[in-house]
Amino acid sequence: MTDAVAPTPTAPDASDFRNLADTLPQMAWIADANGDIFWYNQRWYEYTGTTIDSMKGWGWKAVHHPDHVDRVVERISYAFKAGEPWNDTFPLRSATGEYRWFLSLANPFRDAEGRVIRWYGTNTDITDRKRMEGRLARHAVDLRRTNEELEQFAYVASHDLKAPLRGIENLVGWIEEDLEGALTGDVQTNMDLLKSRVRRLESLLDDLLAYSRAGRADVAFTPVDTKALVEELAVLVSPPDGFEIVAADDLPTLNAAKAPLTQALQNLVGNAIKHHDHPGDGRVRVDAYPTGDMVEFVVTDDGAGIPEQFRERVFGMFQTLRPRDEVEGSGMGLAIVRKLVERQGGKVWLTEGREEGRGLSVHFTWPRDGAKGGTDGFDG
């Protein structure tokens, strides 16, 4: 008895390639140098319900949607004439009359002298992808409309509430004038609390307006010297005596939208001052580093810092880590910064400061040349 001998593999022949083509999930075809198709794989006939006789030459136009056929003919004719690869998407009619979308590609095959002698093409069904793209586009439109309505509501509500608030503030002032000299003890304390609450609500409405407006205005890109900008802000925010605001010498000049960048830096520097536990000798420094087509700004203070477990929470709206009676504020400063930064395609995050156990660094990225970065979802 002899051992069985395994058959020797042979090189694939024409029937192998034909069988391979017939098992592809795509439809495939071959055309001559002029673009006259003379062969389709079995998948084409199964889908279209046609025959080779009806499809020879340019017979394939019969299964194209009438709204697309002229464009397809124009583009593929140009590719055949120029000898350039072709791709297009269009619907093709099935044997049951249903139209499905296909991504179609064709490439020329050339002889040794560079002359096109064959065209090899495929049609891949992308109907499900097109439907998904359509649903996503509709959801994107709905989401954008909802965001615009919410922003408009926030704007109108905060704007309209300021009028009665000013009325309350005036009434409190008139009552104090009428009772001048008679306000004592608990009554004076309560009047002071009432004025404090009115100021807090006014600040909250101002921040709501700022949040609803953040990134909405038309943006003009201009050269912005960020070192000069930080030095201007150091005066504008009126830091307490002894508080130092430092702009790094190598802060860059960007082609940027100045208004939102100014507001982001002002909020961060202002926050660093407001929440510093030793503002009389505090310090905040602004650095910047290039990173691809973006610039990473780092605003670092030497205050008490924020525990790591709260660093994401503080970007939410109305979030404060200390009672508002200790540090007055709406809790929207970082939420506004995040919205401004993300509208420009950047991102913002927190890390520890330079000193161990002290301070906080706020990092955010901003486009170097006015072009939006990669994290922007809808604004293009």
Side-chain angles (χ1 to χ4, degrees):
M1 184 175 179
T2 58
D3 293 336
V5 178
T8 303
T10 59
D13 56 18
S15 63
D16 288 319
F17 288 111
R18 186 167 52 252
N19 291 334
L20 175 63
D22 285 339
T23 57
L24 290 174
Q26 291 94 352
M27 296 188 287
W29 48 267
I30 304 175
D32 64 19
N34 298 318
D36 291 331
I37 299 177
F38 61 85
W39 179 89
Y40 293 92
N41 68 349
Q42 190 59 34
R43 170 76 176 123
W44 173 275
Y45 297 117
E46 291 172 354
Y47 175 77
T48 61
T50 57
T51 64
I52 183 60
D53 291 334
S54 63
M55 289 290 103
K56 279 183 179 177
W58 292 67
W60 49 265
K61 293 191 293 184
V63 296
H64 276 250
H65 194 285
D67 292 346
H68 297 263
V69 64
D70 291 341
R71 168 180 56 83
V72 175
V73 169
E74 178 181 357
R75 292 184 180 180
I76 199 169
S77 296
Y78 175 83
F80 288 151
K81 185 176 180 181
E84 297 176 354
W86 165 80
N87 71 81
D88 203 347
T89 57
F90 44 77
L92 292 175
R93 191 182 64 233
S94 72
T96 62
E98 175 195 13
Y99 281 96
R100 296 182 66 84
W101 280 89
F102 287 84
L103 167 64
S104 299
L105 309 170
N107 283 298
F109 181 77
R110 301 175 187 275
D111 63 14
E113 283 74 39
R115 293 171 299 200
V116 175
I117 57 175
R118 286 285 188 272
W119 287 88
Y120 300 105
T122 58
N123 306 88
T124 303
D125 192 332
I126 58 169
T127 305
D128 292 341
R129 193 189 82 183
K130 294 284 286 187
R131 288 171 178 164
M132 180 64 71
E133 289 173 349
R135 285 196 292 270
L136 288 174
R138 289 192 293 275
H139 290 326
V141 170
D142 291 343
L143 183 58
R144 180 175 296 170
R145 184 185 302 118
T146 300
N147 283 338
E148 290 173 351
E149 290 172 352
L150 286 173
E151 289 179 352
Q152 185 66 16
F153 172 78
Y155 175 81
V156 172
S158 53
H159 181 272
D160 289 354
L161 285 173
K162 286 179 74 70
L165 189 63
R166 280 194 295 272
I168 294 173
E169 193 173 21
N170 290 335
L171 285 172
V172 172
W174 294 337
I175 292 172
E176 280 189 317
E177 289 177 7
D178 292 344
L179 299 179
E180 186 175 6
L183 290 175
T184 58
D186 289 345
V187 177
Q188 181 64 60
T189 300
N190 289 335
M191 289 296 288
D192 291 341
L193 282 174
L194 177 58
K195 289 189 290 184
S196 170
R197 297 301 187 268
V198 168
R199 286 194 297 272
R200 181 181 298 171
L201 185 54
E202 190 171 24
S203 173
L204 176 62
L205 293 176
D206 286 341
D207 285 345
L208 274 172
L209 274 171
Y211 185 83
S212 67
R213 289 169 172 163
R216 293 178 61 192
D218 291 338
V219 174
F221 296 104
T222 58
V224 180
D225 180 343
T226 57
K227 178 174 171 56
L229 176 61
V230 173
E231 290 171 345
E232 291 170 10
L233 289 175
V235 178
L236 181 65
V237 298
S238 301
D241 291 341
F243 198 101
E244 186 180 18
I245 300 173
V246 179
D249 290 336
D250 58 353
L251 287 181
T253 295
L254 309 178
N255 182 32
K258 185 174 182 179
L261 179 58
T262 302
Q263 188 176 357
L265 286 167
Q266 182 174 340
N267 278 23
L268 294 177
V269 173
N271 262 8
I273 297 171
K274 181 190 299 182
H275 297 284
H276 204 290
D277 52 351
H278 298 287
D281 60 354
R283 189 172 192 266
V284 60
R285 177 183 171 89
V286 181
D287 293 279
Y289 309 96
T291 169
D293 58 355
M294 308 287 280
V295 172
E296 177 185 335
F297 288 94
V298 185
V299 181
T300 303
D301 65 61
D302 58 354
I306 296 177
E308 187 171 358
Q309 64 267 32
F310 298 126
R311 288 178 189 163
E312 185 59 29
R313 170 184 157 186
V314 295
F315 286 106
M317 294 178 67
F318 312 121
Q319 295 297 320
T320 60
L321 298 181
R322 295 167 63 187
R324 289 191 169 89
D325 286 336
E326 292 183 15
V327 179
E328 193 63 60
S330 65
M332 295 184 61
L334 287 176
I336 293 172
V337 170
R338 168 172 278 183
K339 186 175 180 183
L340 289 166
V341 169
E342 291 184 347
R343 283 292 177 99
Q344 296 296 318
K347 58 182 180 180
V348 58
W349 69 99
L350 306 180
T351 62
E352 291 184 355
R354 295 172 183 271
E355 301 177 24
E356 185 175 355
R358 295 275 305 167
L360 181 74
S361 291
V362 184
H363 306 248
F364 71 92
T365 55
W366 201 270
R368 180 194 300 272
D369 62 356
K372 292 190 175 185
T375 65
D376 189 26
F378 297 110
D379 290 342

